[in-house]
């Protein structure tokens, strides 16, 4: 874990963006497509901590982007080249454009100044979406990655961010996956190699601390 001073420098509001990944009703809500993942996101406190980070980011002048996954009702343009995509087509709750399932889930709220980026294909919130262009236009150098799942979308987001030249920061208690032990293993054995790891409290403190100058 970096020192508070080091983390504070990394999280300069002028060049930091907070990304929430798939924190949508159909993924982490009470009637989610994957109930086990939704329960873990809520029971672990990850969703609550993400909401805290979103509020603190806005207060500190850090841009917030919500990355959501959805598909057209006719399925056109969606991937079918992996087991995950084919299974999603058979789930009782589908992430269909224009439905409640693809709305940001409470306790998170979307503010007027937030960006909401929706993707119709793939696994990554960055690759093949407008997120990278938005980050560059915003002058982003550090991307704080939160959300679900630690199984797929979170590592995808972190790898893509690093490959694109951003510094990735992962608040380790503001992501969730299943089973919970896998999230711990992913953080320790994979994300620790490519991202700056911190707790939500560390990030909140770094954002709130006054800066010299």
């Amino acid at each position: 874990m970096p020192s508070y001073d080091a983390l504070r420098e990394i999280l300069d509001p002028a060049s930091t963006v907070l990304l929430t990944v798939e924190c949508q009703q159909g993924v982490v809500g009470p009637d989610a497509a994957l109930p086990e993942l939704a329960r873990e996101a809520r029971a672990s406190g990850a969703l609550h901590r993400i909401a805290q980070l979103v509020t603190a980011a806005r207060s500190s002048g850090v841009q917030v982007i919500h990355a959501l996954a959805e598909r057209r009702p006719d399925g056109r343009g969606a991937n079918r080249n992996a087991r995950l995509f084919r299974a999603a087509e058979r789930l009782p709750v589908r992430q269909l454009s224009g439905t409640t399932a693809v709305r940001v889930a409470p306790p998170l709220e979307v503010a007027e100044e937030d960006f909401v980026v929706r993707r119709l294909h793939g696994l990554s919130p960055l690759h093949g979406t407008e997120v990278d262009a938005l980050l560059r236009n915003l002058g982003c150098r550090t991307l704080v990655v939160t959300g679900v799942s630690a199984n797929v979308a979170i590592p995808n987001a972190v790898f893509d961010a690093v490959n694109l030249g951003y510094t990735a920061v992962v608040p380790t208690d503001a992501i969730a996956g299943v089973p919970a032990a896998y999230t711990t293993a992913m953080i320790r054995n994979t994300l620790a190699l490519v991202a700056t790891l911190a707790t939500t409290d560390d990030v909140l403190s770094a954002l709130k601390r006054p800066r010299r100058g």
Side-chain angles (χ1 to χ4, degrees), residues 1-212:
M1 296 284 184
S3 68
Y4 282 125
D5 286 339
L7 190 60
R8 183 187 63 179
E9 294 305 315
I10 293 171
L11 296 174
D12 180 356
S15 57
T16 298
V17 171
L18 174 69
L19 181 71
T20 76
V21 179
E22 295 183 27
C23 294
Q24 58 201 69
Q25 300 253 31
V27 176
V28 296
D31 299 315
L34 300 170
E36 184 181 0
L37 176 59
R39 283 194 297 270
E40 178 60 26
R42 292 178 175 276
S44 67
L47 199 59
H48 172 71
R49 285 186 280 271
I50 296 167
Q52 288 182 299
L53 288 166
V54 166
T55 299
R58 294 191 190 115
S59 298
S60 303
V62 169
Q63 179 66 55
V64 176
I65 298 179
H66 305 281
L68 307 179
E70 60 182 57
R71 59 191 298 123
R72 287 167 50 119
D74 61 12
R76 295 185 66 189
N79 289 66
R80 294 184 177 83
N81 58 337
R83 177 183 172 190
L84 175 65
F85 302 122
R86 296 190 295 272
E89 294 178 343
R90 300 190 297 271
L91 291 173
V93 177
R94 300 174 66 200
Q95 314 302 315
L96 300 181
S97 301
T99 66
T100 301
V102 294
R103 295 178 185 170
V104 171
L108 278 69
E109 296 180 352
V110 179
E112 184 177 357
E113 64 267 27
D114 296 356
F115 287 103
V116 178
V117 177
R118 301 175 182 275
R119 76 176 193 274
L120 291 170
H121 59 84
L123 299 169
S124 172
L126 274 74
H127 180 72
T129 75
E130 61 181 320
V131 170
D132 179 41
L134 290 174
L135 295 177
R136 294 187 186 281
N137 290 342
L138 291 164
C140 177
R141 297 181 63 187
T142 299
L143 185 65
V144 182
V145 180
T146 68
V148 298
S149 72
N151 305 74
V152 178
I154 295 299
N156 260 261
V158 171
F159 293 153
D160 285 347
V162 173
N163 285 333
L164 289 166
Y166 303 105
T167 296
V169 174
V170 178
T172 56
D173 52 356
I175 64 172
V178 289
Y182 180 79
T183 301
T184 302
M186 168 62 74
I187 291 168
R188 179 183 299 118
N189 298 304
T190 302
L191 298 185
L193 303 177
V194 293
T196 297
L197 304 183
T199 66
T200 293
D201 285 344
D202 289 342
V203 174
L204 292 173
S205 295
L207 291 177
K208 290 174 183 176
R209 288 182 66 180
R211 297 170 190 275
R212 294 185 297 272

